[in-house]
Structures are given as structure tokens and as C-alpha cells.
Amino acid sequence: MSLSVSRRLAAVTALAVAGLFAATAPAALASPTSVAAAPTPPDIPLANVKAHLTQLQSIATANGGNRAHGRAGYKASIDYVKAKLDAAGFTTTLQTFTSSGATGYNLIADWPGGDPNSVLMSGAHLDSVTSGAGINDNGSGSAAVLETALAVSRAGLTPTKHLRFGWWGAEELGLVGSKYYVNNLPTAERAKFAGYLNFDMIGSPNPGYFVYDDDPTIEQTFKNYYAGLGVPTEIETEGDGRSDHASFKNVGIPVGGLFTGASNTKTAAQATKWGGTSGQAFDRCYHSSCDTTANINDTALDRNSDAIAYAIWNLGFATPVPPGPSFENTADVTIPDSPAAAVNSPITVSGVTGNAPATTKVDVNIVHTYIGDLVVDLVAPDGTLYNLHNRTGGSADNIVKSVTVNASSEVANGVWKLQVKDVAAQDVGYINSWKITF
Ligand code: DTR
Ligand code: CA
Ligand code: ZN
Ligand code: ZN
């Protein structure tokens, strides 16, 4: 039984005014501008990354040609990565699970030190499909994350945040390993995550340079890196939710990552800005036996390996900007099926000085069986709409996400609303709760 909204808001406002309010959502990532004394990120030696790929190729060759879940090649891959990390001073944990009747393995590696209540995790799935060695998919991400972790050790890094690294099993079976890891994280542990960075296919032979458009701070960090190289990037669109970051995003953890493309075809415009071959897939060997060490673009792998180091060094030292006051409405509001008027859930904000910030954060929790039907807007007290969701996601269930909007032109105090309209017939749901943080 939750407090009534008015009593809850009064309590929150009092605490917020007294500066005693503690955010309960996952710790936010500070914007890169608030980086405190971050050392210069190192170059990640491409030769070292490729040496790991050679090892993974040898493992596949010696074990039936693949490194798939449940096969000897996968366990040999995880043993290889674990041995490197144990030797470099990481605290490693091998987490087992069962999928399709076979034992699966996640490898978690913690770098000692940093704020245990602000965890920055980087990860990659280590399994291949059964048809091949999986060197681009996803030896590339696994090897780059491994080499960056080893660079952390070589540097004796002492970041503000606690650095954690993960290699996932059974991603190709449906994000099984990362889902198992997240589902077995106590809620209190999930709240400690400042962010999860995912790297799945980052060396495609006909590469694109795609950045996940999820957490704005993580996205901007990667964009800053590529801007520094003068390399244009695009938003990753080849499949939202199709890799392990989705497991973390689904529980409200800020996520981001990089991708060089899979079976989609490079356009002429993309070939003009990135080079490579238009009209050809980014990776013609996606999920095929030809996904070997010959199926890697060195420039893309090098750039993305260095991008991982850039992100960890910058985000790892960013001192989290403490979130401002937060206001929440947990009352359920039914969303009638189309055609029907929009519904809304109001929050009366008071006691906040001045305007809302450019990084006003809205946490949305909507239960629905077809989120592609929904248009979701934040409505400011003066009636201005800020779109939070516009019919993406197709038949997926539920919208549980954080969106940051620039509401700096809006006075903070007043009645804010979460407005939801179902614009396609069939499927219904309700607003479960929403929160606005200034
Ligand atoms: N599902 C991944 C490949 C993949 C497809 N779309 C994306 C987008 C972002 C990361 C990865 C992918 C796999 O086959 O492992
Ligand atoms: Ca490099
Ligand atoms: Zn795959
Ligand atoms: Zn993959």
C-alpha cells in the first residue's frame, strides 16, 4: 500500500527541500563535462585484440568449428578469458545456468576499488552460433572488452566508479546468459549500476559506425570519441533489443554501446562517409561458417577497442551529479484501446526553484501488450509536449525506461502530466507509475 500521492509528494518535497532526498533509481551517469581528474585513456593495441581473436579461432578449430553454448568450444573460450583476468588481478566469478539442456557460463570480473554503489559495467557475449567460430559475432566484442580490462590492470586504474566486466553465455539463444545475470541481481544491486556498456559485433568487414541511442550520457560519450576522430556515426537501428544490453535496459539500468552492423546492407550514402562497399551487407558472414579471423575490419576493431577505453576512462571517473528532487505518481491509470482520447497521470511539483534542467529525467513504467500502439508524451505545466515514445517497439510488452528531456524552458513548479494515447486497435494496458527528476 503506497502513500497517497499528495502525502508522498509532500514528504518528498520536504526531503527534497532539506536536501535529504535520496534517489532510489539506478545511480545516474554524470555528463562527460562533470569528469573529475580522468587520466587520458590509453590506446588499446590492435595486435593484442587480434591475438585474442587468434586464440578464439584456434579454440573453435579444435572444438568442432564453433564456440556455441553447450559446446566444448564455449567452455574453452570462457576458460581462456578467465585465466587472463585472474592473472591480471581481477576478482572473477563463473556463473552457471542451464539452457536447452546444457550448462551455460557467464564470467563476471570485478576490478577491485571504486565506489561499490556506483558500478560501471562493460560486457560482450562470448558464445558463437553453431555454424562457425563467431569471430566478429562476437569474438570482436569479447576480445576488445578483455583487452580493455587488461589495460585497466596495466594502468593500475583507480576510477571513481567500481568497474565490472562481463562475458555472456547463450546470447544467440535469446540473451539467456545476460538475462540470467540480471534476473539474479537483487534489486538493491541493480540500483547500484551507473550504466552497462554493450559490445556485440564491433569489427564487421564492411563496417558502419553505429552508436546505441539509449542513455544520453553514454551515447554522447561515444559520439564525443568519434567526433575526435572525425568519423561520423549513426544511431544503431538494426535491431533495438537484439543484444545483451536489452537485459539491463529492461530493469531500468542506463545502457549504451557500439555496433558495426550485421546482415543489413550498407547504403551508397554510408559507403561515401565510411568507405567500404555499398549494396553489400555490413557482415556477409553473419552467423555463417566464414565468420573467422578473416572476417574482421582492423580499422573498425581498432577504433571501437579504443572507444571502449575512452568510455570507461571518462565515465568511470565522472563524479555522479547528484540527482535533483524527484516526484512520482504510482496510481494506475487505464489506457483505453483506440479509438479513445489520451489519458494522463498528473504530478504536482512544488518547492523547486526556477526552471527544470536540460537533463530533466522521466522514468516511465507502462504495462501494455503492444507498445507499438502507444504515443507517450510528457506535458509541461504550460501544455508543452515532450515526446517520450512514438509507436516504436512493435508487439513488445511494457515500456520501462528513463528518458532525459531538455525542459530548461519550463518553470519546474506546476502540474506535469504523463500523457498516453493508444492509437491502434487491440491490446490494452495501464500507466503503472512515472517519476520526474529535476
Ligand atoms: N543479435 C546480435 C546481432 C545484432 C543484430 N542487431 C544488433 C544490434 C545491436 C547489437 C547486436 C545486434 C547477434 O546475433 O549476436
Ligand atoms: Ca587501438
Ligand atoms: Zn549472433
Ligand atoms: Zn552477437
Side-chain angles (χ1 to χ4, degrees):
M1 171 64 178
S2 63
L3 284 172
S4 70
V5 169
S6 54
R7 283 172 55 205
R8 173 192 290 269
L9 283 181
V12 166
T13 304
L15 285 177
V17 168
L20 301 179
F21 188 85
T24 52
L29 279 172
S31 64
T33 51
S34 66
V35 170
T40 304
D43 170 73
I44 300 300
L46 174 65
N48 292 9
V49 180
K50 294 194 74 174
H52 299 314
L53 294 183
T54 300
Q55 288 295 326
L56 295 178
Q57 177 68 65
S58 300
I59 287 169
T61 304
N63 290 281
N66 70 68
R67 302 180 302 101
H69 164 74
R71 308 291 180 87
Y74 180 74
K75 182 63 167 60
S77 301
I78 210 102
D79 290 344
Y80 170 77
V81 175
K82 185 177 187 296
K84 291 286 185 185
L85 293 161
D86 287 339
F90 284 84
T91 305
T92 59
T93 306
L94 207 51
Q95 181 183 51
T96 62
F97 58 88
T98 300
S99 180
S100 304
T103 301
Y105 302 88
N106 291 327
L107 177 64
I108 310 302
D110 283 281
W111 179 241
D115 178 358
N117 294 311
S118 185
V119 177
L120 178 65
M121 188 171 196
S122 303
H125 76 86
L126 184 56
D127 63 309
S128 75
V129 290
T130 54
S131 52
I135 298 305
N136 185 38
D137 182 20
N138 183 39
S140 61
S142 295
V145 171
L146 171 59
E147 190 55 30
T148 305
L150 298 178
V152 166
S153 173
R154 289 193 291 266
L157 211 60
T158 56
T160 313
K161 292 184 175 57
H162 175 76
L163 301 184
R164 181 171 297 161
F165 300 83
W167 288 265
W168 310 116
E171 185 271 351
E172 300 291 5
L173 279 68
L175 320 184
V176 174
S178 57
K179 279 179 186 171
Y180 183 86
Y181 173 74
V182 169
N183 292 342
N184 285 277
L185 270 181
T187 305
E189 289 304 308
R190 294 176 186 176
K192 295 175 182 175
F193 274 73
Y196 171 73
L197 313 180
N198 192 63
F199 306 98
D200 183 358
M201 300 180 75
I202 62 169
S204 303
N206 187 24
Y209 292 93
F210 299 100
V211 177
Y212 296 12
D213 63 335
D214 288 291
D215 177 77
T217 299
I218 299 173
E219 178 182 350
Q220 192 57 51
T221 300
F222 285 124
K223 284 179 174 175
N224 291 347
Y225 167 75
Y226 271 103
L229 294 183
V231 174
T233 58
E234 290 186 9
I235 293 304
E236 181 279 307
T237 56
E238 195 170 337
D240 202 10
R242 280 182 59 181
S243 191
D244 295 301
H245 59 299
S247 303
F248 291 80
K249 182 177 180 179
N250 287 343
V251 297
I253 291 172
V255 302
L258 298 171
F259 179 55
T260 47
S263 51
N264 279 6
T265 301
K266 181 180 279 186
T267 66
Q270 289 171 329
T272 301
K273 66 179 165 183
W274 288 329
T277 309
S278 67
Q280 189 181 98
F282 295 104
D283 181 352
R284 286 185 296 180
C285 292
Y286 176 57
H287 286 185
S288 305
S289 59
C290 56
D291 188 4
T292 66
T293 44
N295 188 48
I296 290 288
N297 178 285
D298 285 359
T299 301
L301 183 61
D302 190 17
R303 287 170 170 172
N304 283 324
S305 301
D306 295 339
I308 297 173
Y310 179 92
I312 290 174
W313 260 250
N314 279 280
L315 295 171
F317 283 84
T319 47
V321 175
S326 197
F327 301 81
E328 187 178 19
N329 187 340
T330 60
D332 292 356
V333 178
T334 300
I335 304 166
D337 194 7
S338 172
V343 294
N344 70 68
S345 170
I347 287 180
T348 301
V349 172
S350 61
V352 179
T353 307
N355 283 15
T359 55
T360 299
K361 188 159 86 89
V362 183
D363 290 291
V364 176
N365 188 315
I366 293 173
V367 177
H368 200 276
T369 51
Y370 201 106
I371 64 174
D373 288 2
L374 301 180
V375 177
V376 183
D377 293 298
L378 171 69
V379 187
D382 68 356
T384 307
L385 267 65
Y386 296 82
N387 184 252
L388 306 175
H389 178 90
N390 191 8
R391 303 204 61 187
T392 55
S395 62
D397 292 348
N398 310 333
I399 300 176
V400 179
K401 67 177 179 181
S402 293
V403 183
T404 297
V405 298
N406 180 354
S408 56
S409 63
E410 308 292 348
V411 172
N413 291 334
V415 180
W416 295 75
K417 296 172 189 165
L418 186 77
Q419 180 174 284
V420 183
K421 187 172 174 54
D422 184 332
V423 295
Q426 297 175 39
D427 292 282
V428 291
Y430 62 94
I431 300 171
N432 186 24
S433 67
W434 75 286
K435 180 190 292 186
I436 187 167
T437 302
F438 295 102

